[in-house]
Amino acid sequence: MNKVNEIEKRFVLAPMTRCISKTNGCPSKQLEEFYVDRVKNGFTNIITESCAINSDDARGYLNGSQFFNDQHAKSWASIINRVHNHGGKIF
């Protein structure tokens, strides 16, 4: 198996839409803490919630996450880095 695809533990946090992103689609601090707390408590492999990837119109619910501009990418990078720093992987 390719090293990129290997997972050390078999516990995976399934995607759960939290609807706690900011109104601009960036993940909130609360959402960031949600993912970091899960890693700290043993879920070292996380599949994120759904994200609108091409426009505000693609968001299916209020306070849903988005990932289609630099501001979104910067906000998600903070979550990704913190998850990685605690030994987790995020997909």
Side-chain angles (χ1 to χ4, degrees), residues 27-82:
S28 65
K29 195 67 175 171
Q30 185 180 7
L31 185 61
E32 182 172 337
E33 293 306 320
F34 170 80
Y35 287 123
V36 172
D37 286 345
R38 295 316 173 273
V39 172
K40 287 180 178 179
N41 289 295
F43 285 97
T44 57
N45 303 289
I46 295 175
I47 302 173
T48 66
E49 60 190 73
S50 63
C51 295
I53 59 169
N54 61 357
S55 76
D56 287 327
D57 295 333
R59 187 165 36 174
Y61 37 85
L62 185 62
N63 295 332
S65 296
Q66 298 176 318
F67 200 133
F68 59 84
N69 66 35
D70 291 339
Q71 188 178 16
H72 299 146
K74 183 178 177 182
S75 296
W76 275 104
S78 175
I79 293 174
I80 292 165
N81 289 334
R82 287 190 66 202

